[in-house]
Amino acid sequence: MFYQLLRNTHSLTAYIVLLTLCFAVVNAGLGWWQKRKYEKKDLRIGLFALIFTHIQVSLGLILYFVTPLFQSWSAMGAGVMKDAYLRKMLVEHPFGIVAVTLVTIGWSLHKKQKTDAAAFKRIFIFYGIGLLLILGVLPWKTWMAAF
Ligand code: HEM
């Protein structure tokens, strides 16, 4: 019950994470390219993406220990690595945590910049790499099959 609720929530908030991150990356890329002034709305866009990425990873961390898949570690041990599905869910996908680290670093760095272009650039690069990493480790097949 709790597991299902958590899994569904983690699965739905994933859309918000991808949308807010994409939006923040495109907005920062354009701001940097067009040499635009860094405004309050840019701060909000970056902040929304940061918050949703953090929520997503926090849900993911709890989900990791409540999913029935987790028992595969005690049942199969290193055999988990030989099963493509289990390897994806229990080993590769959790690397999404590195993405949230990158996004957080990008957020703190951008605030320390002296020029608007440098602020946009930090968001573009760090959020961009974080987004690519998330796209790379998403369990696309199970996610799409759920709808
Ligand atoms: C921002 C990063 C993340 C995104 C966008 C994301 C997204 C997703 C999506 C879309 C699914 C598929 C849900 C379904 O099949 O309905 C999923 C499953 C899962 N995620 Fe994440 N996730 C992220 C980070 C994490 C992290 C850091 C962990 C754990 C440390 C984690 C743990 C899990 C687990 C265990 C499942 C499988 C649940 C199950 O099928 O029983 N996720 N995630």
Side-chain angles (χ1 to χ4, degrees):
M1 175 69 182
F2 173 66
Y3 158 65
Q4 282 300 341
L5 183 71
L6 195 59
R7 187 188 156 163
N8 290 343
T9 313
H10 186 73
S11 169
L12 283 173
T13 45
Y15 286 102
I16 307 177
V17 170
L18 293 186
L19 278 175
T20 51
L21 271 181
C22 280
F23 196 56
V25 172
V26 171
N27 182 63
L30 285 176
W32 182 23
W33 179 259
Q34 295 166 345
K35 299 185 173 60
R36 213 165 34 75
K37 191 172 158 22
Y38 186 87
E39 292 168 17
K40 246 193 182 153
K41 77 164 171 51
D42 300 304
L43 188 92
R44 285 205 191 104
I45 291 170
L47 186 60
F48 267 120
L50 176 84
I51 291 171
F52 278 107
T53 315
H54 274 249
I55 293 174
Q56 184 70 7
V57 169
S58 309
L59 293 176
L61 277 169
I62 306 169
L63 186 57
Y64 192 84
F65 296 101
V66 300
T67 176
L69 298 175
F70 184 69
Q71 286 151 20
S72 312
W73 282 119
S74 42
M76 297 165 70
V80 162
M81 298 303 282
K82 295 194 186 111
D83 182 306
Y85 172 66
L86 291 175
R87 192 177 60 238
K88 179 83 188 181
M89 303 311 276
L90 295 173
V91 182
E92 294 166 7
H93 176 63
F95 269 93
I97 213 160
V98 177
V100 77
T101 311
L102 286 169
V103 167
T104 312
I105 293 172
W107 172 258
S108 357
L109 283 180
H110 105 283
K111 288 204 291 183
K112 294 182 185 136
Q113 302 309 308
K114 293 197 172 73
T115 65
D116 292 343
F120 279 128
K121 184 179 166 184
R122 295 306 180 284
I123 293 285
F124 179 74
I125 293 174
F126 283 88
Y127 279 42
I129 300 173
L131 175 62
L132 289 179
L133 185 69
I134 290 175
L135 291 175
V137 298
L138 267 180
W140 290 102
K141 277 190 200 148
T142 45
W143 189 25
M144 291 302 136
F147 290 95

